[in-house]
Amino acid sequence: VIYISNRPGSIDLLCSSLATQEGNVDWELIVVDGYEGRVQRGKAEQYLRDHKLPIRYYGLPKAKLFSWSRTGFCNAMNTGLFHVTGDYVVFLHDYTRILETALRDWTLMFTQIGDHCLVHGVAINYETEPPEREDDIVTWNNPSPWRPRDPWVPNPFEVGYWGGPITFFDRCNGIDERADFRADWALNCVMAQAACHGYKLHVDARLICHMVDHMVWHKGPHSTDSVWKTWLEGGQDIPEPVWTYWSANSFHLAYERFRNGGGEG
């Protein structure tokens, strides 16, 4: 389970979701934390450890391959992949709750669907009041009700609540970090590489999560950055790369995993 975040709070939501998982599932938690100072302060990691979560890695995103790229989304996902020792990967994001059966459901899905398929879940989107203050762990000191707004069913795919076999990521050499020049390119890259390697894309309504729309907390012009909206619009002047079967990354993912105690090098 790879959790990526660069925003305050939500560690309490992550913990409450994962600490109550049902079923005998062998899993590990990898946290890639880009929220300023949280890794160094150490309180969030200790909070998760105190709740007996099986933390494989808790740390900062690696240095971006392209320091001037607009986002760090693919970079963060690849950082998590560096530390994977399991056979399958599921990505989680902040301000999300998953079902108590989620890890068992994902395990069954991967078992049933085979090793040549990427899988995405669905979600119910909610709106609620923004946090009163920024905190390393706690999202709301005085939580208000989550108001269901609409369903989210990716068509044909997305890169939110998704996962797949680690063999896919090894064969692609991670997710091409040229995709970090525009927020929508991560999906384009994953879909193109799935096609290159003959992986099917599957959206399954049984894999459901509950997500708060943090974008509505953003104040000011839509094109500006903030803690709730951490990538900028634009990039129309940049031509989209040609996505190939092997990502144009300056690392070798399988070797990085081997160095970190996973994979075969």
Side-chain angles (χ1 to χ4, degrees):
V1 177
I2 299 177
Y3 174 77
I4 58 176
S5 177
N6 61 350
R7 301 183 180 92
S10 197
I11 299 297
D12 53 352
L13 299 178
L14 173 70
C15 186
S16 63
S17 289
L18 291 177
T20 57
Q21 287 297 303
E22 300 175 357
N24 184 23
V25 178
D26 182 15
W27 65 283
E28 61 188 7
L29 175 61
I30 294 167
V31 178
V32 183
D33 192 342
Y35 179 57
E36 186 175 0
R38 182 158 57 187
V39 169
Q40 294 83 348
R41 289 185 287 271
K43 295 179 180 178
E45 178 180 357
Q46 189 60 51
Y47 178 82
L48 296 175
R49 292 190 182 277
D50 287 345
H51 285 81
K52 311 301 182 184
L53 297 187
I55 296 179
R56 167 71 180 163
Y57 171 84
Y58 192 118
L60 295 167
K62 66 180 182 59
K64 293 167 66 173
L65 298 186
F66 306 100
S67 60
W68 61 97
S69 59
R70 283 179 168 83
T71 84
F73 184 40
C74 296
N75 180 72
M77 288 193 284
N78 284 335
T79 303
L81 291 170
F82 276 18
H83 299 275
V84 169
T85 66
D87 296 325
Y88 300 94
V89 176
V90 175
F91 288 97
L92 296 180
H93 296 261
D94 39 24
Y95 314 120
T96 300
R97 288 181 176 139
I98 60 174
L99 304 182
E100 292 181 346
T101 60
L103 298 187
R104 184 181 66 192
D105 295 341
W106 276 98
T107 301
L108 290 173
M109 176 59 62
F110 287 138
T111 301
Q112 293 168 359
I113 209 162
D115 283 348
H116 271 75
C117 190
L118 303 182
V119 182
H120 205 293
V122 301
I124 299 173
N125 280 319
Y126 295 80
E127 290 187 357
T128 190
E129 299 305 312
E132 305 90 346
R133 64 186 181 91
E134 295 181 19
D135 185 86
D136 279 357
I137 299 170
V138 177
T139 311
W140 296 279
N141 295 101
N142 299 295
S144 59
W146 288 27
R147 301 180 295 272
R149 189 186 65 195
D150 51 29
W152 180 48
V153 181
N155 183 22
F157 206 69
E158 263 293 350
V159 282
Y161 186 39
W162 74 293
I166 189 59
T167 51
F168 168 76
F169 300 99
D170 281 346
R171 288 168 180 165
C172 294
N173 194 36
I175 301 170
D176 198 317
E177 293 188 24
R178 293 177 298 169
D180 274 345
F181 281 93
R182 278 197 42 180
D184 55 336
W185 285 356
L187 173 60
N188 295 355
C189 172
V190 167
M191 291 180 62
Q193 291 188 320
C196 285
H197 290 275
Y199 281 72
K200 297 179 180 179
L201 302 175
H202 175 68
V203 176
D204 200 289
R206 292 170 291 182
L207 302 170
I208 190 169
C209 69
H210 303 272
M211 301 191 307
V212 169
D213 183 2
H214 59 80
M215 301 293 280
V216 300
W217 301 340
H218 174 73
K219 305 300 181 183
H222 187 64
S223 61
T224 58
D225 202 359
S226 79
V227 70
W228 309 122
K229 183 178 182 353
T230 50
W231 51 271
L232 296 177
E233 300 289 331
Q236 300 293 338
D237 56 321
I238 302 174
E240 183 170 356
V242 175
W243 310 114
T244 55
Y245 71 97
W246 185 259
S247 294
N249 295 326
S250 61
F251 54 77
H252 191 288
L253 176 60
Y255 177 67
E256 293 296 335
R257 294 200 309 109
F258 175 73
R259 288 204 313 160
N260 288 310
E264 299 178 354

